[in-house]
């Protein structure tokens, strides 16, 4: 009986020894497949964490926070489980509409204004990495709200420094707004592709009198 048990034990060891390498290889393949992330043409893959490799054009380190970010554009990469984290950053254009009301101009005339801005993630690896860092953990609504507040603040600030007549020059008005918010958006990793003042009005009939 004991001899029979030894025979079965030896058979079990031999069987498992033969299967185990295939099990290990299978597990490695599964981990590799799950760990591979690929960015679509309208997005980039942002990888943070450890073991990001040596410095390169798509490996950015923030001089202030010392946060290292790897940017993968037009392809994919293996993301090491636990050690690294990955997020996808869209490269689509963001459409931002804002309105301000009763902004007191230099001539003490309260003016309303509306503006539209088109924004996108910057085209350089540095700007892409900065955009990923600044928006990390933000929902789409929170990110949109952040952009709206920047544009609204720019419109309000510029309008308060103009006369109603100067504000009516939309080309100059929007140029000043663009200049006032470009740096803020650059710090967020974003570029302004277009900005328009879509409406200028007031509740006291000032602009109506100009068109009369």
């Amino acid at each position: 009986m004991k001899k029979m048990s030894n025979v079965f034990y030896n058979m079990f060891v031999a069987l498992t020894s033969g299967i185990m390498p295939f099990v290990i290889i299978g597990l490695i393949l599964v981990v590799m497949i799950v760990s591979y992330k690929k960015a679509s043409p309208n997005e980039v893959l942002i990888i943070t964490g450890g073991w990001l490799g040596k410095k390169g054009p798509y490996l950015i380190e923030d001089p202030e926070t010392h946060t290292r970010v790897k940017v993968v554009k037009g392809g994919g990469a293996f993301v090491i489980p636990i050690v690294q984290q990955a997020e996808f950053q869209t490269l689509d254009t963001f459409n931002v509409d804002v309105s301000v009301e009763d902004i007191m101009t230099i001539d003490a005339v309260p003016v309303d204004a509306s503006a539209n801005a088109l924004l996108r993630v910057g085209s350089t690896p540095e700007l892409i990495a900065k955009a990923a860092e600044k928006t990390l953990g933000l929902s789409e609504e929170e990110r949109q709200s952040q952009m709206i507040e920047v544009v609204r603040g720019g419109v309000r600030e510029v309008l308060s420094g103009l006369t109603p007549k100067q504000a009516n020059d939309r080309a100059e008005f929007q140029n000043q707004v663009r200049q006032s918010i470009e740096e803020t958006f650059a710090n967020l990793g974003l570029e302004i592709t277009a900005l328009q003042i879509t409406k200028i009005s007031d509740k006291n009939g000032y602009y109506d009198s100009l068109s009369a």
Side-chain angles (χ1 to χ4, degrees), residues 72-143:
V72 180
K73 185 178 181 182
F78 288 102
V79 179
I80 304 172
I82 303 175
V83 178
Q84 297 175 344
Q85 299 78 43
E87 282 195 9
F88 292 99
Q89 171 76 60
T90 180
L91 297 178
D92 290 339
T93 299
F94 302 105
N95 189 20
V96 179
D97 288 304
V98 302
S99 294
V100 296
E101 294 185 352
D102 296 327
I103 304 301
M104 200 63 69
T105 59
I106 291 179
D107 291 350
V109 176
V111 172
D112 304 337
S114 298
N116 173 265
L118 296 179
L119 308 165
R120 68 180 180 191
V121 173
S123 54
T124 67
E126 290 80 8
L127 287 175
I128 293 171
K130 187 171 288 187
E133 182 187 0
K134 298 297 183 181
T135 61
L136 202 63
L138 294 181
S139 66
E140 188 175 336
E141 291 76 16
E142 289 172 327
R143 183 170 54 187

Side-chain angles (χ1 to χ4, degrees), residues 6-177:
N6 288 337
V7 171
F8 282 116
Y9 174 76
N10 292 333
M11 288 176 63
F12 175 76
V13 170
L15 184 62
T16 53
S17 298
I19 293 176
M20 192 57 65
F22 294 101
V23 173
I24 294 173
I25 292 172
L27 288 173
I28 292 173
L29 288 174
V30 169
V31 170
M32 289 178 67
I33 292 170
V34 172
S35 301
Y36 187 76
K37 309 292 183 184
K38 186 175 182 180
S40 63
N42 67 326
E43 62 186 8
V44 292
L45 177 64
I46 306 296
I47 304 174
T48 57
W51 299 358
L52 294 177
K54 299 179 180 179
K55 282 187 173 294
Y58 285 86
L59 184 60
I60 315 300
E61 181 172 345
D62 190 297
E64 296 179 1
T65 63
H66 300 290
T67 303
R68 300 178 80 223
V69 176
K70 185 176 182 180
V71 178
V72 180
K73 185 178 181 182
F78 288 102
V79 179
I80 304 172
I82 303 175
V83 178
Q84 297 175 344
Q85 299 78 43
E87 282 195 9
F88 292 99
Q89 171 76 60
T90 180
L91 297 178
D92 290 339
T93 299
F94 302 105
N95 189 20
V96 179
D97 288 304
V98 302
S99 294
V100 296
E101 294 185 352
D102 296 327
I103 304 301
M104 200 63 69
T105 59
I106 291 179
D107 291 350
V109 176
V111 172
D112 304 337
S114 298
N116 173 265
L118 296 179
L119 308 165
R120 68 180 180 191
V121 173
S123 54
T124 67
E126 290 80 8
L127 287 175
I128 293 171
K130 187 171 288 187
E133 182 187 0
K134 298 297 183 181
T135 61
L136 202 63
L138 294 181
S139 66
E140 188 175 336
E141 291 76 16
E142 289 172 327
R143 183 170 54 187
Q144 186 76 7
S145 177
Q146 185 183 58
M147 292 184 289
I148 288 173
E149 286 308 310
V150 173
V151 178
R152 181 183 286 129
V155 173
R156 186 186 295 115
E157 179 185 1
V158 172
L159 184 55
S160 65
L162 300 175
T163 65
K165 185 176 181 180
Q166 289 170 331
N168 202 38
D169 182 352
R170 297 194 186 189
E172 180 59 25
F173 185 6
Q174 64 197 29
N175 184 51
Q176 289 191 39
V177 172

